[in-house]
Amino acid sequence: MTERPDTAPGCPLHEAPFPLYKYAEHGEAERVWETLRERFGQVAPVELEPGLPVWLLLGYEENLEVMRDWGGFSRDTRRWCDVRDGKRSPGDDLPIGMGHSSSALYADGAEHARLIAPVADALARLSDARLRADTTRAADRLIDDFCAQGDADLMADFCTLIPAMVLNRLFGLDDHFGYALGDLTAAMWSHDGDRSAEAAARMRDYFAGLVRHKRAVPGEDLTSWMLGHGQRPTDAETADQLVTMAAAAHLPTANLLGNVLRELLADDALASDYAGGGLLLGEVVDHVVWTAPPVQVLPARFATRPAVVGGTRVAEGEPLAFGLAAAHADPRLRRGDRDEAAVPSGHNRAHLIWGAGEHRCPARAVAERIVEIGVERLRARLPGLRLALPAEELWWAPSLFYRGPAALPVEFEPSAPLPAPEPPAPERAAEGAGPEPAPEPPSDALLVRVLRWWQGSGRRARRKG
Ligand code: HEM
């Protein structure tokens, strides 16, 4: 329970924060949660990058308390004491979640309700048949690129691409934009503030072009539904909202899929339980969310008044970050015998991975479908799918914010790509959509620049080569 201290606290946040970013750079962040808990208790002062301290919430209860208390802890970055005191501007190069835009993610109360309604209502209009069809087509198209080879890196060739491809389809754009989008969202989650801010700016350009295009040629897609919503969001708000959706969706979903595949490929007992019908895929996913959450640190909230969280005094305006991985490993969640595992169970859905309270994820079903269909299509299309190296040699990607395999090298029996062209989508007709005109790339000079930048990045050449 959050108490209000009588007097303003000192400033321990700025005195000796723990340099968490150093551990992330070496892929060691997961080792530090217990060290931090022993040293500071359930709330630790850490630096996300040099000179950027936040309170990291380590305890399960503390994370949940701050997520739910939107009156005491604002999502609006403009309430950050550094911004209030003129030391920073939300337009500075900042890590993900610490900047600001006109999307619902950065708003509180009535303004949040106004901005999130078009998103939530557009997502609710997505039929499961449409989601399933778009996801299956995106998965098959990616698998077609490597199925004849007999080997692949499932992270680079599949997991990091499929969320962007699916979202891009749902947003109403052609698949080749999905590759560009994937690269930009990956850069946004970088813990290099410069790279992340540059990618955010490029993403805004990308989606400003898409919004202009969909105003002119609306279709049966999330973008058009959001633009036509009764709350009448502006073009700028819609573009910002699309940036948030793409960033919020991409690497968390990619890493959840990667972590589920890793577990199924590395743990024979789990794999045979799943294959034999003893475990549902949803239960495997929930198990993985407890043991290897795809998002481990998630900024931010800002205290709207002096507070005490988990016994730690937090001054008004100080930033807090959710420590989802630390919360899921909170020893207070252990039941009975100390040797018994903490509740990482496929039967326990009380994890925090989708957030809680006002800003909880509105797209859980989309992410779950991508993971489920991704696993199903790989298993169906790649006979003999197995790791190409011992499981102990897999390593985690170095990141402060998310957690997923750096690579997932696999082998399988080579097979032929599916015959083209793809069949028409009957479910869209069933939704009354009718044939949508072929989506034109937004005729926007900035978007063209983004694509050129992406094409020159070498990533595509590496993937195709
Ligand atoms: C495994 C995948 C995903 C995870 C783990 C995840 C997790 C989360 C979490 C924890 C939040 C709350 C953030 C906060 O409280 O500050 C959130 C919010 C959000 N997510 Fe997701 N998400 C995922 C996939 C997606 C997808 C696929 C989309 C879009 C299609 C999406 C769109 C959003 C949006 C728009 C918000 C902001 C909601 C608001 O501010 O009210 N997420 N997500």
Side-chain angles (χ1 to χ4, degrees), residues 75 104-105 112 116 119 123 167 241 244-245 248-249 252-253 256 294-295 298 301 322 324 352-355 358-363 366-367:
R75 187 63 192 82
L105 182 62
H112 172 264
I116 199 68
V119 180
L123 285 166
L167 275 187
Q241 196 56 64
T244 296
M245 289 170 82
T253 312
L256 180 56
V295 180
L298 183 65
R301 293 291 191 275
F322 299 115
L324 302 178
L352 303 177
I353 203 65
W354 308 109
E358 194 186 32
H359 289 280
R360 69 190 170 280
C361 185
V366 176

Side-chain angles (χ1 to χ4, degrees), residues 64-363:
L64 194 55
E65 174 192 340
V66 173
M67 281 176 184
R68 284 180 172 160
D69 183 2
W70 55 269
F73 301 98
S74 167
R75 187 63 192 82
D76 188 338
T77 322
R78 293 166 301 184
R79 302 193 75 145
W80 187 359
C81 50
D82 280 10
V83 172
R84 182 196 60 206
D85 300 342
K87 291 184 194 156
R88 296 179 201 269
S89 145
D92 290 348
D93 295 341
L94 293 164
I96 192 153
M98 302 295 285
H100 188 266
S101 80
S102 64
S103 95
L105 182 62
Y106 300 100
D108 298 324
E111 181 67 350
H112 172 264
R114 180 182 77 78
L115 291 167
I116 199 68
V119 180
D121 292 346
L123 285 166
R125 278 179 75 173
L126 270 183
S127 69
D128 192 56
R130 160 83 180 267
L131 191 51
R132 185 165 273 280
D134 276 349
T135 309
T136 303
R137 275 195 286 272
D140 280 335
R141 181 176 170 157
L142 291 170
I143 295 170
D144 283 345
D145 280 351
F146 59 75
C147 61
Q149 289 170 203
D151 59 47
D153 170 3
L154 289 185
M155 280 314 286
D157 297 334
F158 192 74
C159 300
T160 57
L161 295 174
I162 188 171
M165 305 274 287
V166 172
L167 275 187
N168 222 46
R169 280 174 172 261
L170 299 179
F171 288 161
L173 272 179
D174 190 84
D175 275 353
H176 73 278
F177 289 99
Y179 291 107
L181 183 59
D183 209 54
L184 289 173
T185 48
M188 268 188 89
W189 279 83
S190 156
H191 51 86
D192 170 346
D194 291 354
R195 195 166 164 243
S196 161
E198 184 193 348
R202 289 175 187 274
M203 290 259 286
R204 271 193 293 278
D205 294 342
Y206 182 107
F207 285 118
L210 173 59
V211 164
R212 276 197 289 279
H213 172 67
K214 288 294 169 184
R215 275 273 186 233
V217 190
E220 289 299 314
D221 51 67
L222 292 178
T223 313
S224 304
W225 295 336
M226 285 162 63
L227 286 168
H229 192 272
Q231 288 286 356
R232 306 172 72 84
T234 65
D235 286 9
E237 287 167 352
T238 306
D240 278 348
Q241 196 56 64
L242 292 169
V243 173
T244 296
M245 289 170 82
H250 180 222
L251 284 185
T253 312
N255 284 306
L256 180 56
L257 176 55
N259 292 349
V260 167
L261 288 168
R262 179 186 191 277
E263 202 70 21
L264 285 172
L265 290 164
D267 184 337
D268 291 342
L270 187 82
S272 81
D273 266 4
Y274 168 53
L279 262 184
L280 297 173
L281 188 52
E283 292 171 329
V284 176
V285 172
D286 283 324
H287 166 75
V288 168
V289 161
W290 281 106
T291 53
V295 180
Q296 54 187 8
V297 171
L298 183 65
R301 293 291 191 275
F302 305 91
T304 58
R305 47 188 180 247
V308 175
V309 186
T312 297
R313 285 170 175 261
V314 176
E316 182 187 346
E318 285 185 340
L320 303 98
F322 299 115
L324 302 178
H328 287 185
D330 187 341
R332 293 175 302 177
L333 294 176
R334 286 176 198 274
R335 294 173 301 191
D337 192 312
R338 272 191 65 77
D339 293 336
E340 194 181 324
V343 281
S345 153
H347 306 291
N348 186 330
R349 305 197 84 195
H351 50 68
L352 303 177
I353 203 65
W354 308 109
E358 194 186 32
H359 289 280
R360 69 190 170 280
C361 185

